[in-house]
Amino acid sequence: MTLKIISAHDVSFSGEVTSVTMPGVLGSFTVLKNHAPLISVLAKGVIRYTSGDEQQHEIEIAGGLADVNDNVISVCVY
């Protein structure tokens, strides 16, 4: 699945991942391959993702929005 993390200033990450955990305003949630479509508001916290080569990565965010559809996760952060 493809993860795109963007802000008003740059593209923080764009690539293939196996899992993504995000800080939703109602609690943390994880997205895996073939996840149901969703849109979520993100709270201040850390986005954790596992890249295609199984390395773990973290990006700290102040908040944002996430859209999951057709194995594409688009995240707009601030």
Side-chain angles (χ1 to χ4, degrees):
M1 88 192 143
T2 303
L3 172 63
K4 299 174 189 175
I5 303 175
I6 61 170
S7 71
H9 305 288
D10 66 351
V11 175
S12 298
F13 178 79
S14 181
E16 292 298 309
V17 297
T18 56
S19 70
V20 182
T21 301
M22 295 178 272
V25 293
L26 297 177
S28 182
F29 63 98
T30 300
V31 176
L32 300 172
K33 187 175 181 180
N34 297 322
H35 195 285
L38 72 84
I39 296 174
S40 178
V41 177
L42 302 178
K44 181 177 180 177
V46 177
I47 296 175
R48 292 179 176 84
Y49 61 92
T50 304
S51 58
D53 59 3
E54 297 303 317
Q55 289 190 12
Q56 302 273 331
H57 303 273
E58 293 184 351
I59 295 178
E60 194 166 324
I61 64 168
L65 296 169
D67 175 67
V68 178
N69 195 10
D70 248 356
N71 286 320
V72 176
I73 305 158
S74 302
V75 182
C76 182
V77 298
Y78 49 87

